[in-house]
Amino acid sequence: MTEHAGKPFLYVVVCAAGIAAGVSKLITAAQERDWEVGVIATPVAMNGFFDVAAVEAQTGRRTRSAWRSPADPRPFPPPDAVVVAPATFNTVNKWAAGIADTLALGTLCEAAGLGVPVAVLPCVADALAAHPAYQDSLTRLRGMGVRIGAPYSGTPLADGTRPEFPWESALDLVER
């Protein structure tokens, strides 16, 4: 495990799902477990799905979404682990297919080759989760060694509230 200021470095990849507004819970939990954290977001997630300024204040680092130029220094050290939370239908399918058309997807596609633990917490509506391509994508990701958390559809409970998103379970998956 590489060390950065005495702590392992966690990449948190955030996708455009409504639940992404709570990503600070994952960052807090990671920091409490002694991780340094850097956030990489899909371009759509940067457009109001979470509070970018608050996340940057919390991590002490800029949130990344765009590729850097070759002349620019790497803004994050290499990861000791990668967590994708929340992971959308689109991201899961593109990642499994090897499509790297955003920094977030490129990072995920590269992670398998780095040999670091990768965990994903899917946030996919039941109707989309039933799509055969999605099921095939989960199978392919598992075959790549990706640790997949319990499905979360965001469907409201009988009382109208939504179940809590299992942010900390991503850390349990990469730390096992």
Side-chain angles (χ1 to χ4, degrees):
M1 187 171 280
T2 57
E3 297 285 323
H4 318 283
K7 298 180 181 185
F9 202 89
L10 178 69
Y11 286 11
V12 172
V13 177
V14 181
C15 302
I19 202 75
V23 72
S24 63
K25 294 175 186 175
L26 173 58
I27 296 165
T28 296
Q31 290 170 333
E32 287 172 352
R33 293 186 190 196
D34 224 27
W35 289 92
E36 282 287 322
V37 180
V39 175
I40 300 170
T42 64
V44 177
M46 293 290 287
N47 294 327
F49 281 85
F50 69 103
D51 186 337
V52 175
V55 162
E56 289 177 348
Q58 188 176 11
T59 63
R61 298 176 181 275
R62 292 195 55 131
T63 297
R64 299 195 57 211
S65 181
W67 301 101
R68 66 180 176 84
S69 74
D72 291 337
R74 293 186 178 273
F76 296 164
D80 294 293
V82 178
V83 166
V84 193
T88 59
F89 176 83
N90 193 47
T91 294
V92 167
N93 287 323
K94 284 181 153 188
W95 175 19
I99 297 169
D101 61 353
T102 65
L103 176 63
L105 283 161
T107 299
L108 295 175
C109 288
E110 190 176 64
L114 294 174
V116 299
V118 180
V120 58
L121 297 183
C123 182
V124 177
D126 292 337
L128 289 172
H131 194 286
Y134 179 73
Q135 294 305 318
D136 291 348
S137 292
L138 292 177
T139 299
R140 175 172 272 183
L141 292 174
R142 282 187 191 96
M144 292 165 49
V146 174
R147 302 161 186 187
I148 300 173
Y152 180 89
S153 68
T155 302
L157 302 170
D159 66 2
T161 63
R162 291 193 192 280
E164 188 67 29
F165 190 72
W167 294 106
E168 283 197 56
S169 69
L171 299 173
D172 297 337
L173 288 168
V174 295
E175 290 175 345
R176 71 170 189 218

